[in-house]
Amino acid sequence: MNRSDLIESVAGTADISKAAAARAIDALRASIVVTLKKGGSVAIAGFGTFAVGRRAARIGRNPRTGAALKIKARKVPVFRPGKALKEALG
């Protein structure tokens, strides 16, 4: 499902216009991004939790040359599904 499909699905389910559904989805995404940038997490009951994880620094390889290179430590988004979501998927 891509963004357009999601907008159509939300608009149909919530009985709202596609424009309103697009604004709601964009607002949700923006709120999650702002919270994660601040180092927080977003928990949606029955769905899951968005949080910030950390990846340690490591040594990688250039696929063309095979030369070793350093990859810096970084923050990455993490999603942990909630119990209801896990059960719904069986």
Side-chain angles (χ1 to χ4, degrees), residues 20-34:
R23 286 192 306 271
I25 290 168
D26 290 342
L28 175 65
R29 183 198 54 81
S31 296
I32 291 171
V33 169
V34 167

Side-chain angles (χ1 to χ4, degrees), residues 6-18 20-21 24:
L6 181 60
I7 289 170
E8 285 185 37
S9 178
V10 169
T13 303
D15 194 27
I16 58 176
S17 70
K18 288 182 183 179

Side-chain angles (χ1 to χ4, degrees), residues 3-90:
R3 184 175 184 276
S4 298
D5 296 338
L6 181 60
I7 289 170
E8 285 185 37
S9 178
V10 169
T13 303
D15 194 27
I16 58 176
S17 70
K18 288 182 183 179
R23 286 192 306 271
I25 290 168
D26 290 342
L28 175 65
R29 183 198 54 81
S31 296
I32 291 171
V33 169
V34 167
T35 302
L36 294 180
K37 278 186 174 182
K38 292 179 182 176
S41 64
V42 178
I44 302 172
F47 183 67
T49 303
F50 295 91
V52 178
R54 302 207 183 277
R55 265 199 201 139
R58 60 191 170 93
I59 301 295
R61 296 255 173 223
N62 181 327
R64 287 188 180 177
T65 65
L69 56 111
K70 293 181 183 178
I71 300 173
K72 295 181 182 180
R74 63 185 343 191
K75 295 178 186 177
V76 294
V78 177
F79 177 74
R80 286 183 225 103
K83 182 178 178 182
L85 179 58
K86 288 180 187 177
E87 289 175 355
L89 297 176

